[in-house]
Amino acid sequence: MSLLSETTSAELGDRLRDAYAVTAEFMADIISQTCRRFPSAGQSGKTSRVERLIQSGAWTDAALALLDLELPQWQVRRLVYDEGEWHCALSRERELPDWLDQSIESHHADLALAILSAFVEAQRIRAPERRTSVPVVRRDTGSLYEPLFVDNIG
């Protein structure tokens, strides 16, 4: 189960949008709020790679490695620099034409932040909804509500 709630996602999205650059503390916040496989005993090689990249300040490579660790079914579909911003598109079905694919797109002046924004959005979409399979019954029944028992309809 993902740790990312709707309010956490919105707050993290705002922080990503307003940030100028990635820091180790910011990356730690993103990991703690969105990642469920980090650190992973079964994926220790990938986890240690992400940690090494963060320690060395290789933010773009760290963002891509985090994407590979946490969302292996998602791939970078497009990275484009246009008019001072990086545009990143993530996709589950990269081989489909653009008009058939349901990709996640984000943009930022910093490449690593553009990738991390798309990563956070993919985590939010991937997170299971907190609904039960049984519909919720409203408890605020009106004052004119009366239960009706019908034994024989026909």
Side-chain angles (χ1 to χ4, degrees):
M1 181 166 96
S2 178
L3 305 172
L4 196 59
S5 69
E6 198 66 37
T7 50
T8 305
S9 173
E11 291 171 6
L12 198 52
D14 290 343
R15 285 183 62 198
L16 282 162
R17 191 173 26 263
D18 295 339
Y20 292 106
V22 182
T23 63
E25 294 81 21
F26 190 33
M27 192 68 126
D29 286 347
I30 291 169
I31 289 170
S32 69
Q33 293 179 27
T34 62
C35 299
R36 65 183 179 108
R37 294 182 181 175
F38 191 93
S40 172
Q43 304 267 344
S44 62
K46 288 183 178 184
T47 301
S48 63
R49 180 171 184 259
V50 171
E51 290 171 344
R52 282 192 316 271
L53 291 168
I54 290 171
Q55 289 171 356
S56 66
W59 305 122
T60 301
D61 291 334
L64 291 170
L66 191 61
L67 176 67
D68 183 43
L69 174 66
E70 286 291 319
L71 299 171
Q73 69 277 15
W74 289 84
Q75 299 173 346
V76 175
R77 181 179 182 91
R78 182 176 49 252
L79 281 174
V80 177
Y81 186 75
D82 186 33
E83 296 183 11
E85 283 194 326
W86 285 98
H87 297 263
C88 175
L90 300 180
S91 172
R92 288 187 196 154
E93 300 291 334
R94 192 171 63 176
E95 303 305 320
L96 287 176
D98 282 347
W99 58 277
L100 283 176
D101 187 27
Q102 293 182 352
S103 62
I104 293 174
E105 299 190 19
S106 67
H107 58 88
H108 199 280
D110 184 77
L111 176 58
L113 289 170
I115 296 168
L116 288 170
S117 295
F119 168 76
V120 167
E121 181 65 16
Q123 284 284 55
R124 185 190 65 77
I125 287 172
R126 182 176 164 265
E129 294 186 26
R130 305 236 186 266
R131 286 193 255 162
T132 63
S133 61
V134 178
V136 177
V137 177
R138 295 186 325 166
R139 299 280 182 203
D140 59 336
T141 57
S143 60
L144 299 177
Y145 172 78
E146 290 185 33
L148 180 63
F149 177 72
V150 179
D151 189 23
N152 189 0
I153 297 178

